[in-house]
mmCIF file of all heavy atoms in Angstrom:
data_model
loop_
_atom_site.group_PDB
_atom_site.id
_atom_site.type_symbol
_atom_site.label_atom_id
_atom_site.label_comp_id
_atom_site.label_asym_id
_atom_site.label_seq_id
_atom_site.Cartn_x
_atom_site.Cartn_y
_atom_site.Cartn_z
ATOM 1 N N ILE A 228 -7.606 3.346 -11.182
ATOM 2 C CA ILE A 228 -6.397 2.910 -10.480
ATOM 3 C C ILE A 228 -6.354 1.397 -10.317
ATOM 4 O O ILE A 228 -5.312 0.771 -10.492
ATOM 5 C CB ILE A 228 -6.287 3.617 -9.106
ATOM 6 C CG1 ILE A 228 -6.100 5.128 -9.296
ATOM 7 C CG2 ILE A 228 -5.123 3.045 -8.296
ATOM 8 C CD1 ILE A 228 -6.183 5.934 -8.020
ATOM 9 N N VAL A 229 -7.472 0.797 -10.009
ATOM 10 C CA VAL A 229 -7.480 -0.632 -9.698
ATOM 11 C C VAL A 229 -7.412 -1.505 -10.962
ATOM 12 O O VAL A 229 -6.906 -2.626 -10.906
ATOM 13 C CB VAL A 229 -8.705 -0.986 -8.815
ATOM 14 C CG1 VAL A 229 -9.970 -1.132 -9.618
ATOM 15 C CG2 VAL A 229 -8.443 -2.220 -7.999
ATOM 16 N N GLN A 230 -7.847 -1.010 -12.096
ATOM 17 C CA GLN A 230 -7.887 -1.813 -13.326
ATOM 18 C C GLN A 230 -6.606 -1.643 -14.143
ATOM 19 O O GLN A 230 -6.622 -1.117 -15.240
ATOM 20 C CB GLN A 230 -9.109 -1.419 -14.176
ATOM 21 C CG GLN A 230 -10.425 -1.760 -13.549
ATOM 22 C CD GLN A 230 -10.643 -3.266 -13.441
ATOM 23 O OE1 GLN A 230 -9.984 -4.069 -14.080
ATOM 24 N NE2 GLN A 230 -11.593 -3.653 -12.613
ATOM 25 N N MET A 231 -5.503 -2.121 -13.602
ATOM 26 C CA MET A 231 -4.222 -2.013 -14.292
ATOM 27 C C MET A 231 -3.976 -3.268 -15.133
ATOM 28 O O MET A 231 -4.455 -4.349 -14.794
ATOM 29 C CB MET A 231 -3.095 -1.840 -13.274
ATOM 30 C CG MET A 231 -3.161 -0.506 -12.535
ATOM 31 S SD MET A 231 -3.076 0.919 -13.628
ATOM 32 C CE MET A 231 -1.489 0.665 -14.385
ATOM 33 N N PRO A 232 -3.220 -3.111 -16.220
ATOM 34 C CA PRO A 232 -2.928 -4.281 -17.057
ATOM 35 C C PRO A 232 -1.966 -5.236 -16.351
ATOM 36 O O PRO A 232 -1.249 -4.832 -15.435
ATOM 37 C CB PRO A 232 -2.287 -3.666 -18.303
ATOM 38 C CG PRO A 232 -1.738 -2.368 -17.855
ATOM 39 C CD PRO A 232 -2.633 -1.883 -16.754
ATOM 40 N N PRO A 233 -1.936 -6.491 -16.771
ATOM 41 C CA PRO A 233 -1.018 -7.456 -16.169
ATOM 42 C C PRO A 233 0.424 -6.951 -16.200
ATOM 43 O O PRO A 233 0.873 -6.377 -17.195
ATOM 44 C CB PRO A 233 -1.170 -8.699 -17.059
ATOM 45 C CG PRO A 233 -2.529 -8.559 -17.668
ATOM 46 C CD PRO A 233 -2.740 -7.085 -17.844
ATOM 47 N N GLY A 234 1.110 -7.120 -15.079
ATOM 48 C CA GLY A 234 2.509 -6.717 -14.991
ATOM 49 C C GLY A 234 2.724 -5.328 -14.426
ATOM 50 O O GLY A 234 3.862 -4.961 -14.127
ATOM 51 N N ILE A 235 1.667 -4.543 -14.293
ATOM 52 C CA ILE A 235 1.789 -3.174 -13.764
ATOM 53 C C ILE A 235 0.811 -3.022 -12.590
ATOM 54 O O ILE A 235 -0.196 -2.327 -12.686
ATOM 55 C CB ILE A 235 1.485 -2.105 -14.843
ATOM 56 C CG1 ILE A 235 2.213 -2.381 -16.148
ATOM 57 C CG2 ILE A 235 1.827 -0.704 -14.317
ATOM 58 C CD1 ILE A 235 3.727 -2.289 -16.064
ATOM 59 N N PRO A 236 1.089 -3.699 -11.461
ATOM 60 C CA PRO A 236 0.146 -3.611 -10.350
ATOM 61 C C PRO A 236 0.243 -2.290 -9.599
ATOM 62 O O PRO A 236 1.316 -1.689 -9.504
ATOM 63 C CB PRO A 236 0.581 -4.759 -9.441
ATOM 64 C CG PRO A 236 2.044 -4.875 -9.684
ATOM 65 C CD PRO A 236 2.225 -4.565 -11.154
ATOM 66 N N VAL A 237 -0.893 -1.840 -9.102
ATOM 67 C CA VAL A 237 -0.962 -0.718 -8.170
ATOM 68 C C VAL A 237 -1.830 -1.191 -7.006
ATOM 69 O O VAL A 237 -2.998 -1.523 -7.199
ATOM 70 C CB VAL A 237 -1.581 0.545 -8.816
ATOM 71 C CG1 VAL A 237 -1.768 1.648 -7.776
ATOM 72 C CG2 VAL A 237 -0.718 1.047 -9.966
ATOM 73 N N ALA A 238 -1.237 -1.277 -5.820
ATOM 74 C CA ALA A 238 -2.036 -1.600 -4.641
ATOM 75 C C ALA A 238 -2.993 -0.432 -4.447
ATOM 76 O O ALA A 238 -2.567 0.725 -4.459
ATOM 77 C CB ALA A 238 -1.139 -1.771 -3.426
ATOM 78 N N THR A 239 -4.267 -0.708 -4.311
ATOM 79 C CA THR A 239 -5.251 0.370 -4.282
ATOM 80 C C THR A 239 -6.062 0.303 -3.004
ATOM 81 O O THR A 239 -6.557 -0.755 -2.631
ATOM 82 C CB THR A 239 -6.188 0.279 -5.499
ATOM 83 O OG1 THR A 239 -5.380 0.173 -6.683
ATOM 84 C CG2 THR A 239 -7.081 1.486 -5.605
ATOM 85 N N VAL A 240 -6.166 1.451 -2.331
ATOM 86 C CA VAL A 240 -6.990 1.552 -1.129
ATOM 87 C C VAL A 240 -8.319 2.195 -1.508
ATOM 88 O O VAL A 240 -8.536 2.551 -2.665
ATOM 89 C CB VAL A 240 -6.265 2.348 -0.022
ATOM 90 C CG1 VAL A 240 -5.001 1.606 0.428
ATOM 91 C CG2 VAL A 240 -5.926 3.757 -0.472
ATOM 92 N N GLY A 241 -9.192 2.349 -0.544
ATOM 93 C CA GLY A 241 -10.503 2.919 -0.806
ATOM 94 C C GLY A 241 -10.435 4.387 -1.189
ATOM 95 O O GLY A 241 -9.407 5.056 -1.056
ATOM 96 N N ILE A 242 -11.548 4.891 -1.642
ATOM 97 C CA ILE A 242 -11.666 6.292 -2.052
ATOM 98 C C ILE A 242 -11.367 7.193 -0.858
ATOM 99 O O ILE A 242 -11.944 7.024 0.219
ATOM 100 C CB ILE A 242 -13.073 6.566 -2.618
ATOM 101 C CG1 ILE A 242 -13.301 5.718 -3.871
ATOM 102 C CG2 ILE A 242 -13.275 8.061 -2.917
ATOM 103 C CD1 ILE A 242 -14.743 5.619 -4.315
ATOM 104 N N ASN A 243 -10.431 8.113 -1.047
ATOM 105 C CA ASN A 243 -9.975 9.068 -0.028
ATOM 106 C C ASN A 243 -9.323 8.390 1.180
ATOM 107 O O ASN A 243 -9.189 8.999 2.232
ATOM 108 C CB ASN A 243 -11.111 9.972 0.445
ATOM 109 C CG ASN A 243 -11.511 11.009 -0.580
ATOM 110 O OD1 ASN A 243 -10.908 11.116 -1.646
ATOM 111 N ND2 ASN A 243 -12.532 11.777 -0.282
ATOM 112 N N ALA A 244 -8.899 7.152 1.054
ATOM 113 C CA ALA A 244 -8.360 6.383 2.183
ATOM 114 C C ALA A 244 -6.848 6.549 2.320
ATOM 115 O O ALA A 244 -6.093 5.577 2.361
ATOM 116 C CB ALA A 244 -8.748 4.920 2.058
ATOM 117 N N ALA A 245 -6.400 7.788 2.436
ATOM 118 C CA ALA A 245 -4.972 8.077 2.553
ATOM 119 C C ALA A 245 -4.367 7.454 3.800
ATOM 120 O O ALA A 245 -3.212 7.019 3.789
ATOM 121 C CB ALA A 245 -4.743 9.589 2.547
ATOM 122 N N GLN A 246 -5.124 7.397 4.888
ATOM 123 C CA GLN A 246 -4.606 6.807 6.120
ATOM 124 C C GLN A 246 -4.294 5.325 5.896
ATOM 125 O O GLN A 246 -3.245 4.839 6.320
ATOM 126 C CB GLN A 246 -5.608 6.976 7.255
ATOM 127 C CG GLN A 246 -5.092 6.477 8.580
ATOM 128 C CD GLN A 246 -6.027 6.790 9.725
ATOM 129 O OE1 GLN A 246 -7.018 7.486 9.577
ATOM 130 N NE2 GLN A 246 -5.706 6.260 10.890
ATOM 131 N N ASN A 247 -5.171 4.607 5.210
ATOM 132 C CA ASN A 247 -4.888 3.204 4.914
ATOM 133 C C ASN A 247 -3.684 3.047 3.991
ATOM 134 O O ASN A 247 -2.928 2.079 4.104
ATOM 135 C CB ASN A 247 -6.114 2.513 4.313
ATOM 136 C CG ASN A 247 -7.054 1.994 5.377
ATOM 137 O OD1 ASN A 247 -6.733 1.995 6.560
ATOM 138 N ND2 ASN A 247 -8.217 1.555 4.965
ATOM 139 N N ALA A 248 -3.498 3.986 3.081
ATOM 140 C CA ALA A 248 -2.314 3.939 2.212
ATOM 141 C C ALA A 248 -1.047 4.066 3.053
ATOM 142 O O ALA A 248 -0.067 3.343 2.830
ATOM 143 C CB ALA A 248 -2.387 5.040 1.156
ATOM 144 N N ALA A 249 -1.071 4.964 4.030
ATOM 145 C CA ALA A 249 0.090 5.124 4.909
ATOM 146 C C ALA A 249 0.327 3.863 5.734
ATOM 147 O O ALA A 249 1.468 3.420 5.882
ATOM 148 C CB ALA A 249 -0.098 6.332 5.822
ATOM 149 N N ILE A 250 -0.746 3.267 6.246
ATOM 150 C CA ILE A 250 -0.599 2.037 7.027
ATOM 151 C C ILE A 250 -0.015 0.926 6.155
ATOM 152 O O ILE A 250 0.884 0.190 6.586
ATOM 153 C CB ILE A 250 -1.936 1.607 7.660
ATOM 154 C CG1 ILE A 250 -2.334 2.620 8.740
ATOM 155 C CG2 ILE A 250 -1.842 0.205 8.256
ATOM 156 C CD1 ILE A 250 -3.761 2.478 9.229
ATOM 157 N N LEU A 251 -0.482 0.800 4.929
ATOM 158 C CA LEU A 251 0.056 -0.207 4.018
ATOM 159 C C LEU A 251 1.540 0.055 3.750
ATOM 160 O O LEU A 251 2.357 -0.885 3.753
ATOM 161 C CB LEU A 251 -0.748 -0.237 2.722
ATOM 162 C CG LEU A 251 -0.383 -1.299 1.703
ATOM 163 C CD1 LEU A 251 -0.420 -2.700 2.303
ATOM 164 C CD2 LEU A 251 -1.324 -1.205 0.501
ATOM 165 N N ALA A 252 1.916 1.303 3.547
ATOM 166 C CA ALA A 252 3.330 1.636 3.338
ATOM 167 C C ALA A 252 4.144 1.286 4.583
ATOM 168 O O ALA A 252 5.248 0.724 4.474
ATOM 169 C CB ALA A 252 3.475 3.127 3.010
ATOM 170 N N ILE A 253 3.612 1.576 5.754
ATOM 171 C CA ILE A 253 4.302 1.249 7.007
ATOM 172 C C ILE A 253 4.468 -0.259 7.140
ATOM 173 O O ILE A 253 5.529 -0.751 7.538
ATOM 174 C CB ILE A 253 3.547 1.852 8.210
ATOM 175 C CG1 ILE A 253 3.623 3.386 8.170
ATOM 176 C CG2 ILE A 253 4.094 1.317 9.533
ATOM 177 C CD1 ILE A 253 2.629 4.090 9.088
ATOM 178 N N GLN A 254 3.436 -1.016 6.795
ATOM 179 C CA GLN A 254 3.533 -2.474 6.849
ATOM 180 C C GLN A 254 4.625 -2.983 5.919
ATOM 181 O O GLN A 254 5.371 -3.919 6.263
ATOM 182 C CB GLN A 254 2.187 -3.117 6.496
ATOM 183 C CG GLN A 254 1.145 -2.924 7.567
ATOM 184 C CD GLN A 254 -0.234 -3.470 7.208
ATOM 185 O OE1 GLN A 254 -1.075 -3.517 8.068
ATOM 186 N NE2 GLN A 254 -0.483 -3.859 5.982
ATOM 187 N N MET A 255 4.741 -2.384 4.747
ATOM 188 C CA MET A 255 5.792 -2.789 3.801
ATOM 189 C C MET A 255 7.175 -2.496 4.380
ATOM 190 O O MET A 255 8.078 -3.335 4.320
ATOM 191 C CB MET A 255 5.613 -2.065 2.466
ATOM 192 C CG MET A 255 4.417 -2.514 1.685
ATOM 193 S SD MET A 255 4.186 -1.450 0.224
ATOM 194 C CE MET A 255 2.775 -2.237 -0.537
ATOM 195 N N LEU A 256 7.333 -1.309 4.949
ATOM 196 C CA LEU A 256 8.625 -0.924 5.524
ATOM 197 C C LEU A 256 8.958 -1.754 6.757
ATOM 198 O O LEU A 256 10.125 -2.053 7.024
ATOM 199 C CB LEU A 256 8.624 0.561 5.883
ATOM 200 C CG LEU A 256 8.502 1.541 4.722
ATOM 201 C CD1 LEU A 256 8.282 2.956 5.239
ATOM 202 C CD2 LEU A 256 9.720 1.472 3.816
ATOM 203 N N ALA A 257 7.934 -2.148 7.518
ATOM 204 C CA ALA A 257 8.143 -2.903 8.757
ATOM 205 C C ALA A 257 8.658 -4.316 8.499
ATOM 206 O O ALA A 257 9.179 -4.956 9.414
ATOM 207 C CB ALA A 257 6.846 -2.947 9.567
ATOM 208 N N LYS A 258 8.550 -4.804 7.273
ATOM 209 C CA LYS A 258 9.069 -6.134 6.948
ATOM 210 C C LYS A 258 10.568 -6.225 7.214
ATOM 211 O O LYS A 258 11.080 -7.300 7.514
ATOM 212 C CB LYS A 258 8.781 -6.487 5.484
ATOM 213 C CG LYS A 258 7.315 -6.688 5.149
ATOM 214 C CD LYS A 258 6.724 -7.902 5.809
ATOM 215 C CE LYS A 258 7.330 -9.156 5.259
ATOM 216 N NZ LYS A 258 6.945 -10.372 5.990
ATOM 217 N N THR A 259 11.282 -5.099 7.101
ATOM 218 C CA THR A 259 12.733 -5.108 7.307
ATOM 219 C C THR A 259 13.176 -4.175 8.431
ATOM 220 O O THR A 259 14.372 -3.919 8.574
ATOM 221 C CB THR A 259 13.456 -4.707 6.003
ATOM 222 O OG1 THR A 259 12.994 -3.409 5.601
ATOM 223 C CG2 THR A 259 13.197 -5.724 4.900
ATOM 224 N N ASP A 260 12.227 -3.673 9.212
ATOM 225 C CA ASP A 260 12.546 -2.729 10.290
ATOM 226 C C ASP A 260 11.784 -3.154 11.540
ATOM 227 O O ASP A 260 10.601 -2.863 11.687
ATOM 228 C CB ASP A 260 12.157 -1.316 9.860
ATOM 229 C CG ASP A 260 12.520 -0.252 10.870
ATOM 230 O OD1 ASP A 260 12.594 -0.552 12.076
ATOM 231 O OD2 ASP A 260 12.703 0.907 10.451
ATOM 232 N N ASN A 261 12.486 -3.842 12.449
ATOM 233 C CA ASN A 261 11.840 -4.403 13.630
ATOM 234 C C ASN A 261 11.253 -3.331 14.552
ATOM 235 O O ASN A 261 10.180 -3.521 15.119
ATOM 236 C CB ASN A 261 12.803 -5.309 14.400
ATOM 237 C CG ASN A 261 12.057 -6.274 15.280
ATOM 238 O OD1 ASN A 261 11.102 -6.906 14.834
ATOM 239 N ND2 ASN A 261 12.470 -6.380 16.522
ATOM 240 N N SER A 262 11.926 -2.199 14.716
ATOM 241 C CA SER A 262 11.388 -1.153 15.589
ATOM 242 C C SER A 262 10.096 -0.585 15.004
ATOM 243 O O SER A 262 9.154 -0.267 15.739
ATOM 244 C CB SER A 262 12.413 -0.041 15.830
ATOM 245 O OG SER A 262 12.702 0.653 14.637
ATOM 246 N N LEU A 263 10.030 -0.494 13.714
ATOM 247 C CA LEU A 263 8.807 -0.035 13.054
ATOM 248 C C LEU A 263 7.696 -1.074 13.214
ATOM 249 O O LEU A 263 6.533 -0.727 13.437
ATOM 250 C CB LEU A 263 9.087 0.245 11.576
ATOM 251 C CG LEU A 263 8.023 0.980 10.792
ATOM 252 C CD1 LEU A 263 7.645 2.303 11.454
ATOM 253 C CD2 LEU A 263 8.515 1.233 9.370
#
């Protein structure tokens, strides 16, 4: 997952780190959602 070619990035969290993936997604959404 982490070794993607240039131009095709995948933000990668740790092994089995689904909770961190959700937090990262929330952080992305919170950029345009003040209540979030």
